[in-house]
Structures are given as C-alpha cells and as structure tokens.
Amino acid sequence: MDLTASDLLFRSIVQQSNDLVTVFDEQGNVVFINAAAERVLGGPPATYLGLNIVDLVHPDERERATLTLQVAREFGPAPGTTHFRITRTDGSFIALEMSAGPATDGVRRLLVITGRPSETRDGLERAMMQLVDGSTIADIMLTVCDTVSWRQMQSRVGIVWTAPDAQQQWVTQGGELPPDLCGIDADADSIFALALASGIGTQSANLSSLPPQLREIAEAAGVGGYWIEPVRVGDASALIVVWTVAGGFPPTVHVQGMQLASNMVEIILRWTDHLLRLDFAANHDELTRLPNRKPFFRALNSALHGAVLYCDLDDFKPVNDRFGHAAGDAL
C-alpha cells in the first residue's frame, strides 16, 4: 500500500528511536517491538514477537511486573516511570527506565512501553546499597563506573584512589585499562598528577596533546579521547578517568555520568574517612592517640607472651592545679 508522508514520518520516528518501543496486548504478549531491540536486547525484533513481557523481566522483579500489568489493564497505564531489568539474548540483564501509555490497532486495547537503558540509576542504587552493606571500596568503585554508561558508548572507565595505607588502588570497566592510562604511579608533570594537584578536570576529543609514550599506549588500547576528573576530600583523593573509543563520541557525551560518578566518589571518600575516624576514636585514647583498652585486650588474648610497662609522672598534679588541665594535657 502507499504510505503517506505522515505514515513515513511515524515509522521513521519509531524505528530509528534510540529508545526501545514495545507494544503488547492486555495479557502482556509482545505484538510489536522496534529496531532498537537488536541494540538494546541483542536480538532482531522478530525474536521477541509473541513472548510475554513478564517472562522477559528479571526473576526477582516478575511479581512486581505482574502487578504493574494488572494495574495497567484495570486502570490504565500509571503516569511516570518505572525500572525493570530485562533479559538479553545472551542471558544477561539490562536495566531499563520505562514509561507506559495506551495504544490500539483499531480492534484491541494495547499498551506501549518506551524503555531506555538506565545503568546510571541502577549503578547509583547498587553503589548506595554496597556502601551500607559494608562492601569493599574496590567493589563499590567498580559499581560507580557503571553510572558513566560506558557500555552504550563503548568507553572505558577507571577510578584511582588513595587507600588508607597511602597505596594507590584502581578499578576499570569496559575492558582492562593499562595502569598508565589510569594514572597509576604517574610522574608529577603528567596530566593525571596536574589534574589532581589543581583540582581541575581535563579532557580532549583526541590524543594530540598527550606525550608520545602515553599516546602510543592509548592508540594501542584503541581509545581516541579522554576525560580526567579529580575528586578531593581532605587528605583523600581520587581520579575518575574515561577513555572514549577511537572514532566514536567525544568525552563530553559522558557529562551527566561524570557528574554523578564524581558525586558518588566524593560520598565514598567521605564515608570511608568517617568510618576510619570512628574506628580510631573507638580504639585509641583521645589525648595521647595511643591504643586504648580494646586493642590491648585483643592483643592480650592473642599473645602467648607479653609484658606491661606502667609509667607514672611525679609532681604532675600540681601542673594541672596551677596552670589548668589544658597545660597538663599539653605536658
């Protein structure tokens, strides 16, 4: 049949949309899905026709999906957005932010869902839960990398931070980044050290400004641009490093993710510092900063042999009495 200009426009909008557009009947059976299915879910649209939308949802979220479908069937699609993890053809799951609306083919009542990858929100939620659950800093930082949405852009993300023992640690996502591209043990005049010292991020859509040796490493890794963002909290520091794929989007495509990742890293550094201070206060004397009774008895219980040295200062009380306790503390 001949298509009108408005028909062609409609098809173009739907099929070329970066969002996943899915239409299903009131029982949840998929009757249409746009071309984004291959990019988002990993398979051609025909793969999903006839499948039930609930069966595509992560097992932990199927009960919620069933209730959502029931509400939509009885009262119409709820306004706003919701989030579900959807099965990809390779068996993995992708987090999607979804909004729903009514549709019809002239005969049936249908539901249309527009979904877009939401690694940012999913990563944020997981990082916050890991923080509360006491996960390792490395595991939390690895999750924070996901807030940059590196999968969609084929970018590679690394986070470097200084551990309490002053040793540098780092994690990467999107394929291992060489330590040189993360700024590990970087020279004082490197782009990494300068960004950390100045507190100002640096970025470039190409590799022309890099020194020859670093440029060679970057080219061998298949990256074409970079964004280095420092985060400082007191004496603690971190670097978020994003390298974009050669010939792809410039680093500025990650502006939202970089802002969120920077905020999350700052929260993690503050949280870690807070816990360290609490732990130190619980196990050390406030005045002398020496271990208190808790670590003493722990050491005593684990030691086969030991000795105790008791020290007293003669004529100390007159100092407190004459000059005050502040002078006694200083002494």
Side-chain angles (χ1 to χ4, degrees):
M1 63 178 180
D2 295 332
L3 297 176
T4 65
S6 60
D7 291 332
L8 291 172
L9 176 61
F10 172 76
R11 289 195 176 192
S12 175
I13 291 173
V14 172
Q15 292 293 1
Q16 296 186 36
S17 173
N18 285 323
D19 293 342
L20 183 70
V21 180
T22 308
V23 181
F24 50 91
D25 61 24
E26 291 187 307
Q27 285 67 49
N29 300 313
V30 177
V31 299
F32 171 83
I33 190 167
N34 70 339
E38 191 141 17
R39 178 178 53 80
V40 177
L41 301 180
T47 305
Y48 306 96
L49 296 180
L51 298 181
N52 192 279
I53 191 70
V54 175
D55 294 334
L56 294 175
V57 173
H58 191 285
D60 294 345
E61 300 171 355
R62 284 177 185 165
E63 182 178 355
R64 180 163 62 91
T66 301
L67 293 174
T68 302
L69 181 61
Q70 180 181 340
V71 169
R73 185 165 50 240
E74 296 180 6
F75 301 98
T81 60
T82 186
H83 295 79
F84 286 101
R85 286 172 290 174
I86 304 298
T87 310
R88 289 174 49 86
T89 55
D90 62 2
S92 64
F93 293 90
I94 182 170
L96 297 180
E97 179 182 40
M98 301 177 174
S99 59
T104 181
D105 58 2
V107 179
R108 298 172 294 178
R109 290 175 57 194
L110 303 170
L111 294 170
V112 56
I113 284 183
T114 302
R116 63 185 56 180
S118 60
E119 288 110 328
T120 297
R121 182 184 184 278
D122 184 59
L124 176 61
E125 287 187 350
R126 286 187 289 119
M128 294 301 293
M129 289 304 301
Q130 287 175 308
L131 203 60
V132 174
D133 292 341
S135 299
T136 66
I137 300 301
D139 285 342
I140 304 174
M141 291 293 194
L142 200 60
T143 300
V144 171
C145 289
D146 287 342
T147 64
V148 184
S149 299
W150 52 269
R151 290 183 182 87
Q152 300 175 57
M153 309 300 175
Q154 300 180 8
S155 299
R156 298 162 76 175
V157 185
I159 301 179
V160 183
W161 70 98
T162 303
D165 59 2
Q167 295 294 316
Q168 283 187 320
Q169 296 186 15
W170 79 96
V171 295
T172 65
Q173 284 280 38
E176 286 294 327
L177 276 173
D180 294 292
L181 296 185
C182 288
I184 303 298
D185 298 327
D187 295 333
D189 59 349
S190 70
I191 56 174
F192 306 98
L194 293 177
L196 198 57
S198 66
I200 301 174
T202 180
Q203 57 180 281
S204 175
N206 56 65
L207 309 177
S208 60
S209 60
L210 297 179
Q213 184 177 0
L214 190 60
R215 188 188 315 147
E216 183 178 342
I217 296 173
E219 290 173 347
V223 296
Y226 61 88
W227 186 342
I228 302 169
E229 192 66 28
V231 180
R232 295 200 69 95
V233 176
D235 294 331
S237 63
L239 279 177
I240 306 171
V241 182
V242 177
W243 292 89
T244 53
V245 64
F249 287 94
T252 48
V253 74
H254 292 296
V255 61
Q256 179 179 346
M258 181 63 87
Q259 181 63 60
L260 183 57
S262 297
N263 292 340
M264 280 301 303
V265 170
E266 180 175 346
I267 290 173
I268 293 168
L269 293 180
R270 290 186 183 278
W271 178 270
T272 304
D273 180 68
H274 179 66
L275 292 181
L276 289 174
R277 290 178 183 274
L278 287 177
D279 181 72
F280 188 87
N283 291 281
H284 294 78
D285 175 68
E286 181 181 2
L287 174 61
T288 64
R289 304 181 69 81
L290 293 172
N292 60 19
R293 290 185 299 172
K294 290 183 179 179
F296 169 74
F297 283 114
R298 283 200 299 267
L300 193 64
N301 290 332
S302 62
L304 295 177
H305 306 283
V308 175
L309 173 66
Y310 178 82
C311 179
D312 190 21
L313 298 181
D314 293 336
D315 301 320
F316 183 76
K317 185 176 182 299
V319 176
N320 282 329
D321 294 342
R322 181 175 179 181
F323 300 105
H325 286 279
D329 289 348
L331 178 60

